[in-house]
């Protein structure tokens, strides 16, 4: 049975319609994609290498976990599921808001940041998607981007992820006039 995704309107309301994986999102509709970035106390991010046979960004390094929300999923359910499926981390994101949402043609991309130490040797990787994992600094990821070894995100996006891991929102301080 093929995976199905909920379709949303521009205001992010479910329309009651779904789309089968592999089909183009119809004009005026949107789908939900999630990403989870796990950071260690020392500031390194857990990254994964995509399998060389995986369609799209084959063999390249990527942020911790991500994928499309399935029909009926909330953003949090999809993010928790992807994290468990891809790298074996069981983490309940119920009630957690994404650190940010980025809009793209045909969808919404919710990005979560989590701070937790994980023993990567104990992780159960989804071998159909992930070949290996490792911890990386922001500088290491930016160098991998430069060498085209990392999924080709904007460098500012990677830097923003590292900023958001310890901040709630885009401000660095509270408004001193209040």
């Amino acid at each position: 049975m093929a995976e199905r995704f909920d379709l949303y309107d521009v205001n992010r309301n479910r329309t009651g319609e779904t789309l089968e994986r592999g089909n183009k999102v119809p004009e005026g509709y949107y789908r939900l994609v999630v990403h989870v970035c796990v950071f260690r106390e020392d500031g390194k991010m857990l990254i994964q290498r995509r399998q060389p046979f995986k369609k799209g960004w084959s063999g390249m390094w990527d942020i911790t976990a991500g994928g499309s929300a399935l029909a009926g999923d909330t953003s949090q359910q999809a993010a928790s599921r992807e994290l468990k499926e891809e790298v074996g981390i069981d983490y309940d994101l119920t009630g957690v808001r994404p650190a940010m949402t980025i809009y793209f043609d045909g969808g919404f991309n919710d990005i979560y940041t989590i701070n937790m130490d994980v023993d990567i040797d104990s992780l159960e990787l989804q071998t159909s998607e992930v070949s290996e994992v490792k911890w990386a600094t922001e500088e290491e990821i930016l160098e991998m981007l430069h060498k085209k070894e990392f999924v080709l995100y904007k460098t500012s996006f990677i830097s923003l992820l590292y900023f958001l891991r310890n901040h709630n929102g885009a401000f660095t301080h509270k408004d001193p006039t209040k």
Side-chain angles (χ1 to χ4, degrees):
M1 187 168 163
E3 291 181 322
R4 297 198 71 78
F5 312 126
D6 286 319
L7 290 175
Y8 296 81
D9 67 16
V10 70
N11 296 312
R12 201 174 165 144
N13 298 307
R14 282 190 180 124
T15 64
E17 297 180 54
T18 62
L19 180 74
E20 188 173 305
R21 179 180 289 281
N23 292 327
K24 188 176 190 283
V25 177
E27 185 72 29
Y29 290 90
Y30 305 89
R31 67 185 180 99
L32 176 60
V33 176
V34 295
H35 283 89
V36 182
C37 301
V38 175
F39 290 93
R40 199 165 65 177
E41 190 174 312
D42 65 3
K44 291 184 177 182
M45 185 195 309
L46 182 65
I47 61 174
Q48 60 154 293
R49 185 188 296 260
R50 296 170 65 84
Q51 287 286 9
F53 51 80
K54 181 129 173 69
K55 189 176 179 182
W57 309 107
S58 303
M60 296 181 86
W61 288 93
D62 199 354
I63 57 183
T64 311
S68 296
L70 301 177
D73 277 350
T74 64
S75 174
Q76 294 82 358
Q77 289 168 330
S80 294
R81 186 192 67 256
E82 290 293 337
L83 191 58
K84 177 68 173 167
E85 284 179 0
E86 291 187 9
V87 295
I89 297 174
D90 193 7
Y91 193 92
D92 184 4
L93 286 156
T94 301
V96 176
R97 291 188 315 162
M100 68 177 144
T101 298
I102 298 176
Y103 302 99
F104 63 94
D105 287 341
F108 309 100
N109 195 345
D110 285 349
I111 298 146
Y112 295 85
T113 58
I114 298 171
N115 292 300
M116 66 186 302
D117 287 331
V118 175
D119 175 11
I120 60 173
D121 294 327
S122 68
L123 296 178
E124 294 178 30
L125 306 182
Q126 184 179 22
T127 56
S128 63
E129 295 205 23
V130 180
S131 65
E132 64 181 302
V133 293
K134 69 178 182 178
W135 293 103
T137 64
E138 178 180 354
E139 294 74 21
E140 289 168 330
I141 292 175
L142 294 175
E143 179 63 24
M144 293 165 87
L145 270 168
H146 178 73
K147 294 179 179 178
K148 296 190 174 25
E149 298 170 348
F150 205 90
V151 171
L152 299 177
Y153 299 109
K154 304 275 189 200
T155 56
S156 56
F157 171 70
I158 298 298
S159 295
L160 183 58
L161 292 174
Y162 276 84
F163 170 79
L164 287 173
R165 73 185 176 84
N166 286 325
H167 295 86
N168 186 10
F171 295 102
T172 58
H173 297 87
K174 292 197 183 291
D175 181 352
T177 64
K178 303 235 172 188

